[in-house]
Amino acid sequence: MRIPLPYRDGNAYDLCPTARFAPTAAPRACSIARLVFVTLRATLSHAHIRPMTQAHEWNQRYLQGDTPWDTGQPSSELMRVFRTEAIPRPRALELGCGTGTNAVWLAQQGLEVTALDFSPLALQRARERAAAAGVRVRWVEGDVLCPPELGGPFDFVFDRGCYHCVRRDNVEGYLNTLRQATCPGSAVLVLAGNAKEPREPGPPVVTEEELRSELGRLLHIVWIREFRFDQVEPDGVRFLAWSCFARRVE
Ligand SMILES: C[S@@+](CC[C@H](N)C(=O)[O-])C[C@H]1O[C@@H](n2cnc3c(N)ncnc32)[C@H](O)[C@@H]1O
């Protein structure tokens, strides 16, 4: 939905022609109109405009190849957790799946995978990856904070690098999505930047306390460990990260 620019700039005055051309004609009507407008704008900016802008920005990054996280390989930490933990099956969901390296790997492990992202270009590449690998993944284009029907609940939810972005806007929205997507017994693995080593440029970071207090509102945190993201920076650095494994108990 496109909102005309003056509205986006917050010029409520422009909404009320009577105020512009005959200021005394209908002041009460204008106050009400202004109130309605301000409320509507606040709602729309969260529900539509902001995600659309952000989706465009992420899509541009994929278009320009500005995607240092996109190693083309499944996450070593995801594979490690699969070796060491009992991951419930068969239904898996990836939030913010990017070009699908992890979703395709999960499908190759025999899971029924649904993967969500709001970048159409990333999803197009993900579809091509799945086709090349000969696996089926249900790709969904949408906002993690307000997703379309995902068809859950899922036994396992994976997130590498999405939570640490969206929590800054709306952690409640993220938790709502997790709540809808899981049920008691579901397992969740979240990989996020670690605030002990913030780097610029680098991934957004969280503290262990933030992880525990935010995800702990919905999930039982089984463990949190440090690891380093696979991506290798030109200076040889690999970003410090958190791996948080949690279960939904109720
Ligand atoms: C750092 S990338 C990680 C991609 C993928 N998980 C990986 O490991 O390669 C973050 C991804 O989250 C997606 N994303 C960010 N905010 C989102 C939102 N609100 N809704 C859906 N996807 C989002 C971006 O488009 C991007 O693909």
Side-chain angles (χ1 to χ4, degrees):
M1 174 171 188
R2 283 190 71 79
I3 301 292
L5 265 175
Y7 296 10
R8 276 198 268 158
D9 291 347
N11 188 354
Y13 187 74
D14 282 354
L15 257 190
C16 185
T18 48
R20 174 173 265 176
F21 301 116
T24 55
R28 191 176 152 79
C30 284
S31 305
I32 294 170
R34 185 174 291 121
L35 185 67
V36 169
F37 166 72
V38 168
T39 311
L40 198 63
R41 186 191 57 191
T43 309
L44 288 174
S45 66
H46 277 287
H48 297 284
I49 300 168
R50 203 179 162 100
M52 280 170 62
T53 312
Q54 291 181 345
H56 175 73
E57 286 166 3
W58 281 101
N59 209 52
Q60 284 300 108
R61 292 193 70 172
Y62 283 105
L63 191 63
Q64 290 159 4
D66 178 18
T67 53
W69 60 85
D70 195 9
T71 63
Q73 300 295 323
S75 154
S76 320
E77 176 62 9
L78 171 64
M79 294 193 282
R80 189 195 73 80
V81 173
F82 252 70
R83 287 193 300 274
T84 55
E85 298 291 337
I87 302 295
R89 290 165 180 259
R91 308 193 69 208
L93 171 68
E94 184 176 5
L95 297 174
C97 63
T99 64
T101 44
N102 299 301
V104 165
W105 184 81
L106 288 169
Q108 287 170 329
Q109 308 315 301
L111 279 85
E112 297 164 15
V113 184
T114 296
L116 173 71
D117 203 290
F118 63 8
S119 160
L121 183 53
L123 286 176
Q124 182 190 319
R125 292 181 185 162
R127 283 192 190 93
E128 289 164 5
R129 189 187 301 282
V135 293
R136 283 192 56 180
V137 173
R138 183 170 161 251
W139 305 105
V140 180
E141 184 179 329
D143 183 1
V144 162
L145 298 176
C146 187
E149 177 56 45
L150 294 172
F154 297 90
D155 303 294
F156 177 57
V157 179
F158 178 62
D159 178 325
R160 175 181 184 258
C162 188
Y163 155 77
H164 68 198
C165 297
V166 300
R167 63 179 287 278
R168 299 179 296 185
D169 277 340
N170 184 358
V171 75
E172 281 307 325
Y174 182 82
L175 291 175
N176 277 341
T177 298
L178 265 188
R179 189 174 291 110
Q180 305 279 327
T182 55
C183 62
S186 302
V188 177
L189 179 64
V190 173
L191 310 183
N194 188 322
K196 285 185 191 170
E197 277 184 23
R199 302 249 320 184
E200 189 57 53
V205 293
V206 289
T207 64
E208 180 174 355
E209 292 69 32
E210 286 167 335
L211 262 179
R212 287 189 185 280
S213 72
E214 291 175 1
L215 300 183
R217 281 183 223 163
L218 175 69
L219 304 167
H220 165 68
I221 309 290
V222 181
W223 49 254
I224 293 181
R225 73 184 284 269
E226 291 184 337
F227 76 107
R228 288 190 182 271
F229 282 126
D230 294 323
Q231 103 201 35
V232 181
E233 292 301 294
D235 57 5
V237 167
R238 290 172 57 201
F239 296 122
L240 189 65
W242 295 112
S243 176
C244 175
F245 186 67
R247 285 192 190 276
R248 174 104 181 254
V249 287
E250 55 183 313

